Amino acid sequence: KRLLENFYIYGNIFWQEHNTSNYTGMGLVACINGQICSHWYIYNNTAVGFQGDQVNNGVSWGDSDPSSTDINVYNNLWYGTNKISFAQSSSGQINHDYNAFFNDTNVTVSESNSQTSSVDPFADSTNGDFHLTAETKDGLHLSSPYDVDPDGVKRGSDNSIWTRGAYQYAPNSSSPDPPSNLVLSVH
């Protein structure tokens, strides 16, 4: 057995572009084959379009070594995905909360602070633009390096709401258009 520890999976987009019956297998993120997987931090990711009908398109430690511990799943957003669960090892649970499930089917995750919806929250999910068009509910506020999204936007910077998923909703973070019709005079 190998010890696989201290993995930090954050700010990613997992996208199955065409809704097919292709499988993710044991889980979108998983520890399998009896390996010891401890101290994993799965934060602020977006998973889109996983329609495989196998075991789990969520997070799975069900086939890990029983000594696997400290698995943390917070602030992730699943959209258009089938069969989402968080399968734990026999020795302990997966710590999870503040995840969002939009237009998903067969979700067997129970959380105190989860968010569910039937809308498409993205600017253009068909063409792979997974920036949000509206706020999600406030997620769990985490320390650096999890407090900055892939575009460099500080989470919660506009109104203190920590958006769930890879991208922080930040309607005012766009850069102004560059000036036009400039004339340079040299004297």
Side-chain angles (χ1 to χ4, degrees):
K1 294 182 186 182
R2 291 184 10 200
L3 175 60
L4 304 167
E5 63 181 350
N6 300 320
F7 278 72
Y8 303 89
I9 303 169
Y10 62 97
N12 297 288
I13 304 290
F14 301 98
W15 180 29
Q16 184 170 335
E17 186 174 0
H18 303 289
N19 290 338
T20 66
S21 61
N22 294 329
Y23 303 130
T24 56
M26 296 298 290
L28 192 60
V29 177
C31 180
I32 62 173
N33 300 329
Q35 301 303 317
I36 302 169
C37 302
S38 296
H39 313 295
W40 285 50
Y41 306 91
I42 305 163
Y43 300 148
N44 295 102
N45 297 289
T46 297
V48 178
F50 291 90
Q51 291 295 310
D53 197 30
Q54 197 160 343
V55 179
N56 180 6
N57 288 308
V59 177
S60 176
W61 257 244
D63 192 32
S64 68
D65 183 275
S67 64
S68 297
T69 61
D70 194 30
I71 312 309
N72 303 282
V73 183
Y74 293 97
N75 297 334
N76 299 286
L77 189 154
W78 276 263
Y79 170 73
T81 295
N82 182 38
K83 288 195 172 180
I84 302 170
S85 67
F86 297 159
Q88 61 194 33
S89 73
S90 61
S91 67
Q93 68 182 40
I94 293 175
N95 306 309
H96 61 91
D97 204 353
Y98 294 94
N99 293 292
F101 308 95
F102 284 54
N103 200 27
D104 298 313
T105 54
N106 299 314
V107 177
T108 59
V109 175
S110 177
E111 297 179 340
S112 298
N113 297 291
S114 69
Q115 179 178 1
T116 59
S117 177
S118 60
V119 302
D120 180 344
F122 303 117
D124 187 1
S125 62
T126 302
N127 294 304
D129 184 350
F130 299 111
H131 289 86
L132 298 168
T133 58
E135 287 285 7
T136 66
K137 289 182 180 178
D138 195 17
L140 180 64
H141 295 231
L142 301 167
S143 61
S144 179
Y146 313 111
D147 61 342
V148 177
D149 82 359
D151 287 339
V153 176
K154 181 125 175 99
R155 295 196 180 273
S157 59
D158 56 336
N159 59 5
S160 298
I161 292 178
W162 186 297
T163 306
R164 301 166 193 215
Y167 293 108
Q168 172 69 28
Y169 175 69
N172 300 320
S173 68
S174 61
S175 302
D177 291 332
S180 59
N181 300 322
L182 296 177
V183 177
L184 176 64
S185 296
V186 178
H187 297 290

